[in-house]
Amino acid sequence: MSGRSSSQFSRRSWLASAASAAFGQQLGKTVRLPRKVRLALIGLEGHTGEILEPLPRLPEVELVAVCDPDGARLERAFAGWQPAPRRYTELERMLETESLDVAAVCGPNGGRAGRILACLKRKLHVIAEKPIALSRADLAEIRAAVATEKLRLSMLLPMRFASPFLALRRIVETGQIGEVIQIASQKSYKAGERPEWMRRRATFGGTIPWIGIHMIDLMRFTSGREFREVFSLKARIGFPQLGEMENVTGSLFALDNGGIAMLRMDYLRPETAPTHGDDRLRLAGLEGIAEYQPATGVTLMTGKRGPHVVTDLPEAGSVFIDFLESVYLGKPAALSIDDVFRVSEITLAAEEAAVERRIVKI
């Protein structure tokens, strides 16, 4: 997903979702749940659109409360929202006051683990912005809390539900390119204006945890391969307005079959570029190569057929609906809790490798 700042309360897509909610439009198929689900949104930073956009399709889900330290921004964001969620500027007060079922935890990266733990303590199912933790200790505490309370946890990794990446996964699963032994991926974004929390490491955590986690998840998801060790480098060169936020990173991963995966990321995309981001993924197997770029779509070439564009793409999904269906309908989650913890472990290892300038086993 986009590495764009969400300081304007999250993107054109959220504005579209607000409009659809206000006018009762149904976007896509309606998903019925067996009971009423009381939802709270915590924090206005991050991929909030992934929570708010599907609500018109979820008649049993009611956004009953929203929480953010900036009360004025809350009022602006939810002006005209029907039914109006109750507004809170203090998380504990909201958790003490409201009767809730699910919490969507967003907000700045720093402190997110604490907000997740506060919700788990109240026995709420949680879907959270990524990364869910900035340290191994916090990740371990979240894992223990989920296991103790037998609660569900998911993370806002919506790219694995996008049609091009579902197509890449299908290509691998059907054996069209054979065993994947090399993966190359890219995330490139415009630097733009960044909120203060992203300019400080304590509240940001690094570019690798912030946007790298998306592509780390996709490399693993599409290829079917596991990651064993990693070495990373990162830097902020030029762009002093970014503060401690890195604008260039590179990570090299060893795969479980002896293959190699590479991830390069930057915030160097010029403002003249037609789009904010340029995400790419290339899977090279023993029998062919499959690739996605926004400019060309999904392409495939094998020993049996030359390069061609794949036009038969799977239907896109929703990370939030996937989560709700797993909790309330008993469906297997496409993004499982094991996936959530494993990609978190890999991402923290990649960041640790960059900080310590050493190879880290995963």
Side-chain angles (χ1 to χ4, degrees), residues 183-201:
I183 310 170
S185 62
Q186 169 185 295
K187 293 185 78 67
S188 176
Y189 294 117
K190 297 177 181 179
E193 293 184 10
R194 297 284 152 178
E196 181 59 30
W197 69 269
M198 292 185 73
R199 299 188 185 107
R200 292 182 289 117
R201 179 168 176 78

Side-chain angles (χ1 to χ4, degrees), residues 296-325:
T296 58
V298 178
T299 59
L300 173 64
M301 72 177 161
T302 68
K304 297 178 180 179
R305 184 178 178 184
H308 59 281
V309 176
V310 177
T311 57
D312 179 21
L313 303 181
E315 182 180 355
S318 160
V319 63
F320 186 40
I321 290 176
D322 176 66
F323 172 64
L324 292 174
E325 288 183 331

Side-chain angles (χ1 to χ4, degrees), residues 220-290:
R220 189 171 168 268
F221 172 69
T222 58
S223 71
R225 303 266 42 110
E226 192 53 86
F227 291 34
R228 295 304 183 207
E229 52 187 8
V230 59
F231 179 71
S232 300
L233 294 170
K234 62 177 184 172
R236 196 271 295 158
I237 301 172
F239 294 81
Q241 71 274 19
L242 295 180
E244 297 174 341
M245 176 183 172
E246 306 92 2
N247 62 355
V248 61
T249 81
S251 297
L252 181 67
F253 299 89
L255 301 179
D256 56 349
N257 63 352
I260 297 169
M262 294 163 282
L263 169 59
R264 64 175 185 263
M265 301 191 293
D266 67 78
Y267 278 101
L268 301 174
R269 193 161 167 81
E271 287 299 323
T272 54
T275 60
H276 173 66
D278 181 11
D279 295 332
R280 305 182 186 187
L281 181 58
R282 179 181 184 271
L283 306 173
L286 295 175
E287 299 177 29
I289 296 172

Side-chain angles (χ1 to χ4, degrees), residues 18 24 30 37 94 150 168 203 207 217 228 247 277 279 283-284 316 319:
T30 298
V37 176
M94 185 193 77
K150 298 181 180 180
L168 289 178
T203 50
T207 295
D217 178 62
R228 295 304 183 207
N247 62 355
D279 295 332
L283 306 173
V319 63

